[in-house]
């Protein structure tokens, strides 16, 4: 071999060296350092997964008496009504929660690039991420409270509603003793026809003093007017035993300001008016011989908002709280992608005549596709195991309607003592997450090779 080298032949190959790890240490040393982490991984991840898989094939009884049942627990995933509802809600979560959160994050990230206070805005939007799911659930349980005096959502909703449709001031009003009024289809009507020139009294009770209209004034007995029907409607109640007169306004009694009065003949309204601040009203001659009716809309209960946590809206309401928390996460990742985007491409599109919407749709979004994919897949994995928000926000009366797989796992395993079914749900959740994780890992590897 030495002569071959001296004669100008190819050099002899070098003797193989022992391969070392990336850090320059031998494999045995690397494994030794990794051993504590591998032990923890096995104890906290691998063993629980394996135990749950085995336990999912046994019946619901605990302890050593568990009986092998094959796939019966997995069959329950598609026959049990509670689990089927949870599966349906999980599909809703996976479809809408990541999409809405990502879309809002994209809008926020793009719009905040154009304002001076972008950093402050991003801080405010991202701040909910610093709050635990438990705290967020408590916050939104109060936000969605049915009482407008407590729940922010209904306070806003009722305020908007009352701006366009004023609530009644007399929801509890009803005729008192010796009143000429009788019930009529949600309202009240006089027992006898009225005559022009003869004042009518329409006394009522039942309105709390603090609920009386703000413009109400001391009730005044209406005087007669020739050819017209006049009268008074008022709160015929004075505090104190034996104080005041029934059927006549007293100095401390207030008129029903704004009360609607209709004159009805043969089932048709021939005249209508509203009471003045002192409760007095006047109807034209057409009301002569008619019955006076106080229509039902005088006594409608005040609008109390939307039942956000009712059976029909509880899932969208809880998803709304999730979006509030995670839209900031999406915004931050997308903003980082925007920061690394080549600006010359955007400027070239504008120079070519594209408007801002076209630049956004045809340039910005395609360039952000890898980042958007990361955000969507991460949120999909996250919503598959959502538990805290549903458990805390949904009240007991509608928790079955808001049920998700993670919550059903908890209920089956602890509330109903069916560990076999709970383990089957856990394995099923793992099977749902694995394809999403595999897709994400493959995509990240492709990005790394570019």
């Amino acid at each position: 071999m030495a002569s071959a080298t001296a004669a100008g032949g190819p050099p002899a190959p070098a003797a193989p060296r022992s391969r070392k790890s990336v850090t320059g240490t031998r494999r045995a040393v690397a494994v030794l350092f990794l051993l504590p982490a591998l032990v923890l991984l096995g104890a906290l991840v691998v063993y629980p997964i394996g135990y749950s898989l085995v336990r999912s094939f046994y019946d619901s009884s605990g302890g050593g008496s568990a009986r092998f049942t094959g796939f019966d627990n997995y069959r329950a995933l598609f026959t049990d009504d509670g689990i089927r509802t949870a599966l349906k809600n999980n599909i809703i979560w996976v479809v809408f929660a990541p999409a809405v959160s990502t879309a809002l994050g994209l809008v926020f990230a793009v719009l905040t690039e154009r304002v001076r206070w972008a950093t402050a805005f991003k801080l405010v939007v991202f701040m909910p991420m610093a709050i635990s799911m438990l705290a967020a659930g408590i916050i939104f349980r109060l936000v969605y409270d049915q009482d407008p005096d407590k729940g922010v959502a209904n306070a806003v909703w009722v305020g908007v509603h009352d701006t366009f449709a004023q609530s009644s001031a007399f929801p509890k009003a009803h005729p008192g003793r010796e009143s000429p009024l009788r019930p009529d289809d949600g309202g009240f009507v006089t027992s006898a026809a009225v005559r022009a020139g003869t004042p009518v009294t329409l006394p009522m009770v039942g309105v709390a003093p603090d609920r009386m209209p703000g413009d109400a004034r001391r009730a005044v007995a209406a005087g007669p007017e020739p050819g017209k029907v006049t009268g008074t409607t008022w709160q015929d109640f004075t505090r104190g035993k034996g104080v005041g007169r029934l059927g006549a306004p007293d100095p401390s009694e207030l008129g029903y300001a704004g009360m609607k009065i209709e004159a009805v003949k043969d089932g048709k309204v021939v005249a209508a008016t509203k009471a003045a601040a002192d409760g007095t009203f006047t109807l034209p001659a057409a009301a002569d011989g008619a019955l006076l009716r106080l229509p039902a809309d005088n006594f409608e209960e005040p609008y109390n908002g939307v039942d956000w946590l009712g059976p029909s809206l509880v899932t969208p309401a809880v998803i709304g709280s999730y979006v509030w928390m995670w839209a900031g996460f999406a915004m931050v990742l997308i903003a980082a992608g925007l920061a690394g985007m080549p600006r010359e491409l955007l400027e070239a599109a504008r120079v070519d005549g594209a408007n801002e919407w076209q630049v956004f749709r045809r340039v910005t979004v395609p360039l952000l596709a890898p980042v958007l994919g990361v955000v969507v897949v991460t949120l999909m994995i996250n919503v598959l195991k959502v538990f805290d928000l549903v458990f805390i926000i949904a009240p007991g009366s509608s928790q079955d309607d808001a049920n998700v797989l993670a919550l059903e796992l908890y209920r089956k395993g602890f509330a109903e003592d069916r560990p076999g079914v709970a383990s089957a749900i856990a394995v099923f959740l793992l099977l749902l997450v694995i394809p999403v994780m595999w897709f994400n890992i493959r995509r990240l590897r492709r990005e790394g090779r570019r």
Side-chain angles (χ1 to χ4, degrees):
M1 185 174 295
S3 61
T5 304
R17 298 181 180 180
S18 60
R19 297 184 64 184
K20 294 184 178 181
S21 67
V22 181
T23 58
T25 58
R26 296 181 182 277
R27 286 184 177 180
V29 177
V31 170
L32 188 63
F33 277 102
L34 289 174
L35 188 61
L38 294 174
V39 170
L40 283 176
L41 185 68
L44 300 179
V45 178
V46 178
Y47 172 74
I49 291 175
Y51 179 82
S52 296
L53 180 62
V54 172
R55 191 68 184 82
S56 67
F57 292 104
Y58 286 82
D59 65 8
S60 300
S61 60
S65 61
R67 180 175 56 87
F68 182 79
T69 57
F71 289 94
D72 287 353
N73 292 326
Y74 290 94
R75 194 175 296 114
L77 298 180
F78 305 98
T79 57
D80 185 280
D81 290 338
I83 300 177
R84 289 167 63 183
T85 300
L87 182 59
K88 179 195 71 175
N89 287 336
N90 262 99
I91 293 173
I92 295 173
W93 272 87
V94 169
V95 171
F96 290 100
V100 175
S101 299
T102 304
L104 281 178
L106 176 61
V107 171
F108 290 155
V110 171
L111 293 182
T112 51
E113 280 201 325
R114 301 175 177 273
V115 294
R116 286 186 176 180
W117 36 271
T119 302
F121 180 82
K122 290 177 182 178
L123 178 64
V124 171
V125 176
F126 187 76
M127 196 176 294
M129 283 294 299
I131 303 174
S132 68
M133 288 280 197
L134 174 65
I138 295 172
I139 291 171
F140 274 87
R141 182 65 182 267
L142 295 174
V143 167
Y144 292 132
D145 195 288
Q146 179 67 41
D147 187 354
D149 293 331
K150 298 178 182 177
V152 175
N154 266 340
V156 174
W157 195 266
V158 170
V160 173
H161 173 275
D162 289 351
T163 301
F164 300 98
Q166 189 63 37
S167 298
S168 169
F170 319 105
K172 303 294 184 182
H174 59 275
R177 291 179 296 162
E178 303 178 14
S179 174
L181 295 168
R182 57 180 174 80
D184 176 68
D185 195 22
F188 302 97
V189 66
T190 55
S191 302
V194 297
R195 295 299 173 186
T198 303
V200 183
T201 56
L202 303 176
M204 304 189 79
V205 295
V207 181
D210 61 336
R211 296 292 183 180
M212 289 292 287
D215 58 345
R217 299 291 180 265
R218 184 173 69 86
V220 176
E225 292 188 27
K228 295 182 178 181
V229 174
T230 59
T232 306
T233 178
W234 80 102
Q235 176 89 341
D236 190 20
F237 177 79
T238 302
R239 291 181 180 274
K241 188 176 180 180
V243 179
R245 299 165 297 163
L246 283 177
D250 291 307
S252 63
E253 295 171 352
L254 299 176
Y256 279 161
M259 176 74 78
K260 298 177 183 178
I261 301 106
E262 298 175 344
V264 181
K265 285 183 180 179
D266 299 326
K268 297 181 179 180
V269 177
V270 296
T273 189
K274 286 186 178 182
D278 57 4
T280 59
F281 60 88
T282 303
L283 289 164
D288 185 39
L291 297 177
L292 295 189
R293 181 174 66 188
L294 306 180
D297 55 358
N298 283 315
F299 313 104
E300 290 179 351
E301 291 288 337
Y303 182 68
N304 205 39
V306 177
D307 187 10
W308 298 104
L309 300 182
S312 58
L313 289 178
V314 62
T315 295
V318 180
I319 290 176
S321 66
Y322 178 90
V323 170
W324 176 77
M325 288 192 68
W326 287 87
F329 167 82
M331 179 196 66
V332 169
L333 290 188
I334 295 170
L338 278 173
M341 184 182 298
R343 298 296 166 172
E344 57 271 15
L345 295 179
L346 303 179
E347 294 303 325
R350 294 187 181 102
V351 169
D352 289 340
N355 57 36
E356 290 302 321
W357 168 247
Q358 291 172 327
V359 171
F360 173 76
R361 186 166 59 93
R362 296 182 179 276
V363 180
T364 303
V365 173
L367 289 175
L368 285 176
V371 179
L372 296 176
V374 170
V375 175
V376 170
V377 171
T378 302
L379 294 181
M380 286 176 66
I381 295 172
N382 188 266
V383 300
L384 281 172
K385 56 189 181 65
V386 67
F387 166 80
D388 318 58
L389 291 176
V390 180
F391 183 72
I392 296 166
I393 296 177
S397 58
S398 58
Q399 196 169 85
D400 289 341
D401 300 282
N403 200 9
V404 290
L405 287 174
L407 177 59
E408 187 64 15
L409 187 157
Y410 167 81
R411 295 167 72 173
K412 287 288 189 287
F414 297 97
E416 300 179 22
D417 193 22
R418 299 174 64 185
V421 177
S423 298
I425 296 174
V427 174
F428 183 64
L429 271 174
L430 178 64
L431 294 177
L432 291 178
V433 171
I434 285 176
V436 182
M437 293 179 61
W438 176 78
F439 170 79
N440 204 25
I441 292 172
R442 282 196 61 188
R443 193 194 52 75
L444 289 174
R445 284 179 176 173
R446 286 199 305 268
E447 292 295 322
R449 288 196 294 265
R450 290 181 183 177

